Structure formats: C-alpha cells, structure tokens
Amino acid sequence: MIYQRSSALFAEAKKYIPGGVNSPVRAFKAVGGDPIFVKEAKGAYLYDVDGNQLIDYIASWGPLILGHAYEPVINAVVEKAKKGTSFGMPTEIETELAQLAVSMVPNIDKIRFVNSGTEACMSAVRLARGYTGKDKIIKFAGCYHGHSDSFLIQAGSGAVTFGSPNSPGVTQGTAKDTLLATYNDLGSVQALVDANQGEIAAIILEPVAGNMGCIVPQDGFVEGLRDICTREGILLLFDEVMTGFRLGRGGAQEALGVNADIVMFGKVIGGGLPVGAFAARAEIMAHLAPEGPVYQAGTLSGNPLAMSAGLAMLTELYNRPEVFTSLAEKTEYLHKGIAEVLTEKGVTHQINRFGSMISVHFTDEPVVDFSSAAKGNNDMFKKYFHGMLDNGVYLPPSAFESYFLSDALSYADLDKTIEAVGKVF
Ligand SMILES: *Cc1c(COP(=O)(O)O)cnc(C)c1O
C-alpha cells in the first residue's frame, strides 16, 4: 500500500505539533514508520488520505463499539449541535444519561461527568482520599489510568511503549504516595498493605487489563482485592474506562461478579465524543462538591454534544444487550483463527482474550502481568503489525495495547484478517 500523502501530512504536522500527534501512541514509534492519516471512516473501515481502505481493530481506542459513524449517534449529535454547543448551565440530557448509566451499572447511585478517562481517574482518587482521609494508593505495574501525575508510575499503554514509565515532571512527593503492586499477585498487594497500615486510601486497577496488551484477571485475584479492601477500610477503584459498557451493560463489575467502591468510565460512554465519568454509592459521592468538600469541576463537563452521543450509544447498548454476546463470539472466532494460523506456521505466541478485548503476544510464556508482557518479541510484533497493515488490517501499533472489536466487523472481515496473518508469516 502507498502512504505518500500520510507521510507528507505527518512531516507537516511535526513542524507544529510535538512529534506530529496529539497523543503519543498514535505515532508508530514502537513499530517504526509514519502514522496513517485518516480521512473518514464508516462501520468497520477506515479510509485514509491515500485512498486505502483498512479493517479497523482499534475503533478510536475503544469508544466506537458499534462501528464508525454509527447513525443514531451521529444524528443525535447533529440535531443537538443546531441548538447550541455549550451553555455552562444544567441541561436535562445530563440527568438522562446519568439515570441510564446508573440503571446499567451495578452498585452505583450517582455519577459525575468529566471530559476524559484521565480526569475521571484523577478525580476518583481525590474523592477516595477525601473520603478515607488517607493519602496512599496502590496501583499495578502496567495498568494505565490516564496521564495524571499519580498514575505515571510504571504505567501501561503509551507510557511503556516509549520506555518512560516514570515520566520526568512527576515529583518525588507525588510518586511516594503511589505504591506499586504486581497484577495477578495478591501477595504483592498484601505486603504493601501490611507495610503501610492505615495509610492506604485506594487500590486502583483495570479489572481486565488492556494497556499491557489484554491481561485477564486470574481466578480469585479481583475477589481477593475486594476482601483486602473490605477488611482494611480501603476503597476499591475499578478503572472501567476500557471495560465499561464493553464487557456487558454492567462492565467488568458484572462480568466478574465483584463490586467496586468507585468506578471510572470513558471511551464507550461518550460514543466517540470526549466524555469521562466516575460513579459510586450515594454515601461516597456525597463527599463531592457542591454536596461535599472534595473539589472537582469542569467548564465543558456534561457538554450537550458529548451527552447526546453518550446517550445515543448507551441507549443502543441498553436496548440490544445481545451486541455484547455477538462481539464476544466474533472475538473468539478471531482468536481461534489467528491461533490456528500461527500454530501452523510454527510462530511462538500467546493470545489473551476477554469479551471483545484480545491481544497477541509473541512469547512462549503465559502473559499474566507486566513483566511477562514485556518479554514479548518486539521484532516479531513489528513484522506482524506492518504485514497486517500491508494486507489492509489496522491493528494497535504497540504490543502493549488490546484490540477493540466493533460490532460492525463482519465474519468476512474476520476471515480476511485471519488470512492476512497467514500471508505475514
Ligand atoms: C484510555 C484509558 C484511560 C485514559 O482515558 P483518556 O480519555 O485517554 O484520558 C484511563 N484508563 C484506562 C483503563 C484507559 O484505557
């Protein structure tokens, strides 16, 4: 395929935007080459500025679970825009989306809307600290919770793709309050809890991890965290920015059968517009301003365009929960197909999958945490990524990212994708 115009646009972008992109993982640094500039997209397909058509396995990094330019969402946004794009005053649609979200997700009474997953996680931790009166948090190596200071300690996603898990600019003072545990290792958590008795406000995690590739919680891991939190008076925070409204109507809480104390959302909840949110039982949310003393605010929070996209998206998912089953079946089909081809070609690999999240790791060890994910062969990954791209399949440009299937993908698309794997190796 030819990417002349993309490369020219990237050269121009680099003159005015650091690295040419507004979010690092878009830059292809982990796989080499220039990023592709997209012109438009519909359903499961991206159309780039050079006229190539690509089958999309990123779906804007998760939000577009029903495919690109999904009509009910687009129509809702267009109609709303005609009536004004922002007021800085309450609107009815905020309550409508709040009510729907609360009805779909277990164990939450109230929800506060923000503009990104980063903001949601940052605000949720402040609320947890304000509620418990404690400072420290436990996070897991390889889990990504957005780019705010407290979380850039061994974070996943772009932060590891670029080899800077501990970003310059994060102060020692901030870093000392973030304690680091190992995913799927309850002992590592218990040891931190024992060493910091009475000082821990929250344990935060991706209940199914997606930012070190897809990593599935092993039996008893999340249940064990719930027990530790309940016993020690620590709040359990589920970062469901990726899993929320993707693993089912009730997200990972429902899929795993474990309740968190505060849940954070982003991605699907905005239907492709900038929305994040955090939610909890009324008693916890009562600590948030203006009801309580924990401050949090936003000029564009609850923006009518963003709310209309989110409401249209969640309404679809509420009315058609069979979408989640259909997506999981498609993902399983893809898993089996890719595994068969790689095995036949003698390529060492692991495939992790949960619902519509999946990732391929080129290693012979099970991938259960950050250090096993980091052992993947990146040269093989690069060959895979670029080979698939040459065959019209757009995968995440880093081994530390999950794919996100959209229900717009047909079985013909999946077959084409599986065939492409055979051509690469
Ligand atoms: C994407 C993501 C975030 C950050 O959300 P942004 O909207 O990019 O700020 C946080 N947590 C998880 C699990 C994510 O996947």
Side-chain angles (χ1 to χ4, degrees):
M1 290 204 186
I2 291 173
Y3 298 109
Q4 237 169 347
R5 179 134 180 80
S6 272
S7 293
L9 288 178
F10 185 50
E12 193 64 13
K14 278 196 283 192
K15 292 185 197 161
Y16 305 105
I17 300 171
V21 292
N22 282 306
S23 193
V25 82
R26 295 176 195 168
F28 278 25
K29 277 216 155 171
V31 290
D34 291 345
I36 292 163
F37 278 58
V38 64
K39 191 168 161 217
E40 56 188 288
K42 180 72 188 165
Y45 306 118
L46 297 165
Y47 301 92
D48 74 7
V49 290
D50 287 285
N52 302 306
Q53 177 184 324
L54 300 165
I55 303 176
D56 184 18
Y57 283 93
I58 306 185
S60 184
W61 299 98
L64 307 176
I65 191 168
L66 299 175
H68 290 274
Y70 188 70
E71 259 166 42
V73 173
I74 300 302
N75 293 342
V77 173
V78 169
E79 287 313 307
K80 207 67 179 172
K82 292 178 185 163
K83 296 181 176 139
T85 58
S86 182
F87 311 109
M89 296 164 70
T91 54
E92 190 176 354
I93 194 169
E94 294 161 73
T95 309
E96 287 174 340
L97 182 56
Q99 190 182 20
L100 181 56
V102 164
S103 79
M104 290 170 83
V105 176
N107 203 38
I108 64 170
D109 301 316
K110 291 187 181 179
I111 186 164
R112 168 67 57 86
F113 293 112
V114 293
N115 306 287
S116 69
T118 295
E119 250 188 276
C121 293
M122 176 185 98
S123 307
V125 164
R126 184 179 305 141
L127 177 59
R129 286 173 166 152
Y131 177 82
T132 58
K134 298 168 188 170
D135 289 345
K136 293 184 179 168
I137 60 169
I138 294 179
K139 84 173 277 288
F140 295 89
C143 279
Y144 181 68
H145 306 295
H147 64 89
S148 95
D149 287 3
S150 305
F151 304 125
L152 287 180
I153 317 291
Q154 293 261 324
S157 187
V160 290
T161 302
F162 305 114
S164 56
N166 305 290
S167 171
V170 176
T171 66
Q172 287 298 323
T174 298
K176 81 168 173 29
D177 286 331
T178 302
L179 308 173
L180 202 62
T182 303
Y183 203 82
N184 275 326
D185 180 356
L186 277 178
S188 73
V189 177
Q190 189 61 55
L192 289 173
V193 170
D194 291 344
N196 296 273
Q197 274 296 325
E199 293 185 85
I200 298 169
I203 297 177
I204 181 171
L205 80 156
E206 294 178 61
V208 176
N211 286 294
M212 39 185 166
C214 171
I215 294 188
V216 179
Q218 291 172 342
D219 281 349
F221 175 58
V222 178
E223 293 83 347
L225 294 176
R226 176 69 271 172
D227 288 345
I228 291 174
C229 285
T230 305
R231 197 168 59 231
E232 307 280 345
I234 296 169
L235 295 186
L236 182 60
L237 271 53
F238 274 9
D239 178 351
E240 296 227 37
V241 171
M242 200 177 270
T243 54
F245 308 104
R246 171 166 287 279
L247 298 184
R249 287 200 283 210
Q253 285 194 105
E254 183 182 84
L256 300 172
V258 176
N259 284 342
D261 296 304
I262 306 180
V263 188
M264 295 80 86
F265 299 103
K267 300 189 171 129
V268 176
I269 201 174
L273 268 78
V275 181
F278 57 106
R281 297 184 300 275
E283 171 239 343
I284 296 175
M285 292 304 269
H287 288 252
L288 203 60
E291 219 176 311
V294 177
Y295 197 68
Q296 188 280 322
T299 300
L300 289 174
S301 293
N303 172 269
L305 297 193
M307 293 293 104
S308 67
L311 185 61
M313 177 64 89
L314 260 50
T315 301
E316 287 288 309
L317 297 175
Y318 180 79
N319 290 332
R320 295 200 289 125
E322 64 276 11
V323 163
F324 299 113
T325 320
S326 142
L327 267 168
E329 283 167 5
K330 286 176 185 178
T331 312
E332 186 181 0
Y333 183 87
L334 184 71
H335 180 163
K336 285 189 176 150
I338 294 178
E340 227 168 77
V341 174
L342 290 179
T343 304
E344 194 186 290
K345 302 268 177 178
V347 178
T348 302
H349 69 278
Q350 305 284 324
I351 299 180
N352 287 356
R353 168 172 61 90
F354 195 105
S356 53
M357 294 163 64
I358 181 171
S359 58
V360 178
H361 302 259
F362 297 101
T363 168
D364 54 6
E365 264 180 50
V367 174
V368 298
D369 58 13
F370 179 64
S371 62
S372 47
K375 284 182 188 149
N377 180 330
N378 202 47
D379 288 332
M380 284 294 278
F381 185 83
K382 281 186 200 174
K383 179 181 154 105
Y384 174 57
F385 171 80
H386 282 291
M388 294 300 280
L389 192 55
D390 286 341
N391 284 285
V393 179
Y394 191 68
L395 300 176
S398 160
F400 293 110
E401 305 287 352
S402 170
Y403 311 2
F404 304 100
L405 272 69
S406 84
D407 203 48
L409 287 161
S410 66
Y411 279 90
D413 295 326
L414 301 176
D415 284 336
K416 241 177 114 175
T417 304
I418 294 162
E419 255 172 61
V421 179
K423 292 181 197 160
V424 175
F425 294 103

